[in-house]
């Protein structure tokens, strides 16, 4: 993701839109399409423009925004609790220290507060920004309902019991997704987010071990040996903790189904990626997604709607923050 992002429009059929509408309706009856039609009619346009301009100047932004929505929604629901700053907040947990994209959300929020003060929640901005980030780098254009409100609390101890770890087994991933109301199908589809973005060397170091000469050797035989050699060159023992590699070694700048093709050649970066191919419960779906990008895009729309509907606060719950980094109190 070293060069500027480009729009790749994806034609969605009427049947696809109908399916997405059904799924959206089941996500949360309290979220609605065009929630800001009266209170802030340009809200989605402003978010989209902010994401587009930010991605043009920093091509890593789409991957960061997609990771941000996962880490926010899996902890206390999609309520922007991850945006809150302070001692012992979610941001202070080590798993969230490398999460980025906060400045993009704040930038959109500042503009929206100027035009429509007290109207658009940070939680909705996060969901919309992730939606737009996917489209900007070639993924499907989908509509999502809005009306989320911002949470009032953010506690570091809530993070680890809620998010996934790249070393998780299939059973551990299934249990974690199930606890969020997401299915095995959603697990496989949403793992496709790894088609963009980057990861620190430490996130897959458990697939290697250091030998007596201080060199890394491959111990996870489910990983393609040539790909493993490339990873060891990019992430040697001496590598800085700041070094990152692309999640997708083939088309890292584009949201496509290459992630699943990579899995078929044993080039999943994380242990949790490889598990999707080795487990009989998910292997056939991985193969289908690798062979049909339109199927992946349609499925992504459905599962993304469910992801962004986790634990939403609506009505008189929570608040509409003036700044995403702090509550109004």
């Amino acid at each position: 993701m070293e060069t500027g992002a480009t729009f790749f429009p994806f034609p969605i059929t009427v049947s696809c839109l109908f399916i997405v509408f059904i799924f959206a309706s089941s996500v949360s009856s309290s979220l609605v399409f065009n929630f800001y039609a009266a209170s802030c009619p340009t809200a989605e346009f402003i978010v989209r423009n902010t994401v587009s301009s930010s991605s043009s100047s920093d091509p890593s932004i789409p991957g960061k925004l997609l990771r941000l929505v996962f880490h926010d929604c899996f902890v206390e629901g999609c309520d922007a609790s991850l945006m809150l700053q302070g001692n012992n907040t979610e941001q202070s947990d080590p798993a969230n220290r490398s999460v980025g994209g906060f400045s993009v959300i704040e930038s959109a929020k500042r503009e929206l507060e100027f035009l429509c003060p007290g109207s658009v929640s940070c939680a909705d901005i996060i969901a919309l920004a992730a939606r737009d980030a996917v489209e900007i780098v070639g993924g499907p254009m989908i509509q999502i309902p809005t009306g989320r409100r911002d949470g009032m609390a953010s506690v570091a101890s809530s993070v680890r019991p809620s998010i996934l770890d790249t070393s998780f087994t299939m059973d551990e991933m299934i249990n974690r997704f199930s606890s969020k109301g997401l299915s095995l199908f959603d697990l496989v589809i949403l793992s496709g987010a790894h088609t963009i973005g980057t990861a620190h060397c430490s996130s897959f170091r458990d697939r290697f071990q250091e030998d007596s000469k201080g060199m890394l050797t491959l111990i996870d035989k489910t990983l393609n040996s040539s790909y493993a050699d490339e990873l060891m060159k990019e992430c040697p023992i001496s590598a800085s903790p700041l070094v990152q590699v692309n999640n997708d070694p083939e088309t890292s700048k584009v949201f496509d189904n290459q992630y699943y093709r990579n899995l078929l050649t044993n080039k999943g970066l994380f242990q949790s990626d490889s598990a999707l191919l080795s487990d009989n419960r998910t292997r056939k779906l991985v193969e289908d997604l690798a062979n049909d990008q339109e199927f992946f895009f349609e499925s992504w729309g459905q599962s993304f709607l469910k992801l962004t509907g986790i634990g939403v606060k609506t009505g008189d719950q929570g608040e509409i923050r003036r700044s995403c980094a702090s509550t109004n109190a």
Side-chain angles (χ1 to χ4, degrees):
M1 301 183 71
E2 288 79 17
T3 57
T6 307
F7 279 96
F8 298 85
F10 172 73
I12 294 184
T13 63
V14 173
S15 61
C16 176
L17 287 173
F18 180 69
I19 292 171
V20 169
F21 176 78
I22 293 173
F23 270 79
S25 300
S26 65
V27 167
S28 175
S29 59
S30 51
L31 297 179
V32 297
F33 290 101
N34 298 315
F35 180 83
Y36 298 107
S39 61
C40 193
T42 59
E44 294 196 24
F45 175 79
I46 289 170
V47 173
R48 184 181 298 271
N49 272 4
T50 303
V51 173
S52 179
S53 61
S54 298
S55 300
S56 294
S57 59
D58 180 358
S60 71
I61 289 298
K64 290 177 178 178
L65 292 174
L66 196 49
R67 187 176 180 216
L68 175 58
V69 76
F70 273 86
H71 280 240
D72 181 51
C73 290
F74 264 67
V75 183
E76 303 298 336
C78 305
D79 67 349
S81 55
L82 182 53
M83 295 291 298
L84 291 173
Q85 297 179 358
N87 294 329
N88 200 39
T89 60
E90 291 173 27
Q91 284 191 32
S92 65
D93 185 273
N96 283 331
R97 288 175 188 165
S98 61
V99 175
F102 298 108
S103 61
V104 180
I105 306 303
E106 288 286 11
S107 178
K109 178 61 172 175
R110 284 192 296 271
E111 187 171 352
L112 288 165
E113 281 299 300
F114 177 76
L115 294 173
C116 319
S119 298
V120 183
S121 70
C122 301
D124 271 342
I125 297 173
I126 291 173
L128 291 168
R131 182 273 306 268
D132 295 337
V134 167
E135 183 188 354
I136 284 171
V137 289
M141 177 183 67
I142 61 175
Q143 298 299 316
I144 63 171
T146 42
R148 299 165 189 80
R149 289 172 66 85
D150 299 323
M152 306 285 286
S154 180
V155 182
S157 60
S158 300
V159 175
R160 289 310 172 102
S162 300
I163 65 170
L164 275 75
D165 189 273
T166 55
S167 64
F168 270 13
T169 65
M170 180 59 71
D171 285 340
E172 288 173 320
M173 289 192 289
I174 290 173
N175 290 338
R176 190 59 51 88
F177 267 68
S178 178
S179 72
K180 307 300 174 185
L182 299 173
S183 66
L184 182 62
F185 180 86
D186 297 321
L187 189 165
V188 179
I189 299 302
L190 293 173
S191 292
H194 289 163
T195 189
I196 60 173
T198 59
H200 288 88
C201 300
S202 59
S203 63
F204 54 88
R205 182 58 58 79
D206 58 349
R207 310 188 82 173
F208 303 88
Q209 71 177 10
E210 184 178 359
D211 64 18
S212 58
K213 298 179 181 179
M215 304 293 288
L216 288 176
T217 58
L218 178 64
I219 57 174
D220 186 342
K221 300 307 181 183
T222 64
L223 191 62
N224 179 287
S225 59
S226 297
Y227 180 44
D229 289 341
E230 294 175 17
L231 293 175
M232 287 187 283
K233 289 178 183 177
E234 294 186 71
C235 291
I237 288 290
S238 59
S240 162
L242 300 179
V243 172
Q244 299 180 53
V245 302
N246 293 323
N247 290 338
D248 178 349
E250 305 297 335
T251 58
S252 62
K253 303 179 185 69
V254 183
F255 190 95
D256 55 16
N257 69 332
Q258 183 63 47
Y259 166 77
Y260 300 102
R261 296 187 201 138
N262 293 340
L263 294 186
L264 295 185
T265 57
N266 296 309
K267 292 183 179 180
L269 181 60
F270 307 120
Q271 182 177 309
S272 55
D273 292 328
S274 297
L276 299 180
L277 181 67
S278 60
D279 195 288
N280 290 332
R281 291 169 290 185
T282 51
R283 183 184 181 95
K284 178 62 166 61
L285 180 54
V286 167
E287 293 171 344
D288 290 343
L289 292 163
N291 292 322
D292 190 341
Q293 180 162 284
E294 185 172 349
F295 172 48
F296 171 48
F297 280 8
E298 291 184 357
S299 301
W300 174 265
Q302 300 165 19
S303 294
F304 185 79
L305 285 171
K306 292 178 68 176
L307 168 68
T308 53
I310 296 173
V312 295
K313 296 170 177 62
T314 57
D316 59 359
Q317 298 173 314
E319 64 180 6
I320 305 297
R321 292 183 210 145
R322 290 186 288 270
S323 167
C324 294
S326 60
T327 60
N328 295 338

